[in-house]
């Protein structure tokens, strides 16, 4: 079975600092995808970034990058130059080959302080 | 805006009742997924439809059912509602190619009193 673990229930960061949100995953499949979503207080789920298990380069999307360490089964999200608008819940998710559903972690609540 | 629409945004009902949640996927997306987000269970996959056919089933209760219509919109039917069914219900859609990232609608917040 697939499992996502996010060990940080909450994080507090000063504005403009970089922040790393941890995500570890467990799967026996060789082919899988890892996703990060942001959920602001308004409730919607916003797709941020994707990393495929065979991708050799770490994924980047603007201020978001994914620190993918396959041997450690970790896929940490790095947000550079944090902004007040980054305050939200962040979810790590995984999809394995042949399955369409996403398996989500419990989330990390990020608070950016001015 | 993800392009996925869900109605209604909020729904308040009583135990034992039946409700229908509606979802319209992004233009061109053939797959629709339903997820439930509750405080105790987190985000859980319920069911997936692809071009009108059920493709995958997750932790969906027998009291719940879904369908996808020829115009690709989907409905999630919840019956004999219990207090524990109170949750945020998301619909997501995706294209069948590429990274298959799923784009989520704004959700329907269901409160069962």
């Amino acid at each position: 079975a697939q499992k996502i673990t996010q060990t940080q229930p909450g994080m507090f960061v000063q504005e403009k600092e970089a922040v790393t949100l941890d995500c570890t995953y467990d799967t026996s499949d060789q082919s899988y995808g890892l996703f990060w979503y942001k959920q602001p207080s308004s409730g919607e789920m916003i797709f941020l970034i994707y990393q495929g298990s065979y991708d050799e380069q770490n994924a980047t999307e603007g201020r978001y990058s994914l620190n993918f360490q396959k041997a450690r089964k970790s896929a940490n999200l790095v947000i550079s130059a944090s902004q007040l608008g980054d305050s939200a819940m962040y979810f790590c998710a995984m999809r394995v080959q042949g399955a369409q559903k996403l398996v989500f972690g419990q989330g990390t609540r990020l608070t950016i302080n001015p | 805006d993800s392009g996925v629409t869900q109605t209604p945004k909020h729904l308040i009902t009583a135990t034992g009742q039946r409700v229908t949640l509606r979802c319209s996927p992004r233009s061109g997306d053939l797959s629709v997924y339903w997820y439930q987000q509750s405080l105790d269970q987190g985000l859980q996959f319920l069911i997936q439809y692809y071009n009108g056919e059920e493709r995958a089933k997750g932790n969906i209760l027998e009291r719940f059912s879904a369908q996808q219509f020829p115009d690709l919109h989907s409905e999630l039917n919840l019956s004999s509602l219990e207090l524990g069914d109170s949750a945020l219900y998301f619909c997501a859609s995706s294209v069948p190619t590429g990274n298959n990232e799923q784009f989520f609608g704004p959700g329907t917040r269901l409160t069962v009193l």
Side-chain angles (χ1 to χ4, degrees):
Chain A
Q2 294 78 42
K3 187 177 179 182
I4 294 284
T5 302
Q6 294 180 253
T7 56
Q8 307 153 311
M11 284 197 68
F12 296 83
V13 172
Q14 286 299 119
E15 190 180 8
K16 298 180 184 174
E17 288 184 353
V19 56
T20 297
L21 305 182
D22 294 341
C23 171
T24 59
Y25 58 92
D26 187 21
T27 181
S28 56
D29 291 84
Q30 296 301 310
S31 180
Y32 50 88
L34 296 156
F35 303 78
W36 277 92
Y37 285 85
K38 172 184 178 181
Q39 186 176 38
S41 57
S42 51
E44 72 268 31
M45 294 285 287
I46 302 167
F47 166 72
L48 295 178
I49 197 166
Y50 166 84
Q51 179 84 42
S53 59
Y54 293 118
D55 294 342
E56 295 186 354
Q57 303 278 346
N58 285 342
T60 59
E61 289 285 349
R63 291 187 301 112
Y64 304 110
S65 61
L66 201 151
N67 184 1
F68 181 47
Q69 297 188 46
K70 198 169 181 177
R72 294 186 178 183
K73 292 192 173 179
S74 75
N76 299 339
L77 177 70
V78 180
I79 306 174
S80 63
S82 58
Q83 303 171 356
L84 296 178
D86 294 332
S87 293
M89 280 289 288
Y90 288 80
F91 291 94
C92 181
M94 176 171 60
R95 176 180 55 79
V96 299
Q97 178 79 13
Q100 298 299 312
K101 69 174 185 180
L102 292 176
V103 174
F104 285 86
Q106 289 299 103
T108 296
R109 182 170 297 281
L110 175 64
T111 302
I112 307 298
N113 295 315
Chain B
D1 186 346
S2 67
V4 179
T5 60
Q6 288 187 250
T7 56
K9 197 169 177 64
H10 300 278
L11 199 48
I12 301 174
T13 188
T15 54
Q17 295 298 305
R18 173 189 168 94
V19 296
T20 297
L21 313 184
R22 184 188 167 103
C23 166
S24 292
R26 295 185 317 161
S27 177
D29 287 356
L30 301 180
S31 277
V32 167
Y33 311 78
W34 287 97
Y35 291 86
Q36 178 195 59
Q37 185 179 30
S38 60
L39 283 175
D40 53 344
Q41 298 287 336
L43 266 158
Q44 300 252 331
F45 167 74
L46 295 178
I47 197 164
Q48 179 209 356
Y49 278 81
Y50 177 80
N51 203 19
E53 300 286 329
E54 182 184 303
R55 181 61 66 92
K57 227 171 183 176
N59 300 322
I60 188 166
L61 300 171
E62 286 192 11
R63 300 183 286 106
F64 295 1
S65 65
Q67 55 184 326
Q68 187 179 28
F69 295 86
D71 66 353
L72 300 178
H73 91 271
S74 177
E75 292 180 357
L76 179 66
N77 300 296
L78 315 176
S79 61
S80 302
L81 285 168
E82 302 175 359
L83 296 178
D85 297 328
S86 296
L88 188 51
Y89 291 85
F90 284 108
C91 167
S93 72
S94 71
V95 294
T97 58
N99 299 333
N100 199 37
E101 56 258 36
Q102 296 179 17
F103 293 90
F104 283 69
T108 293
R109 184 168 296 282
L110 173 67
T111 303
V112 182
L113 301 175

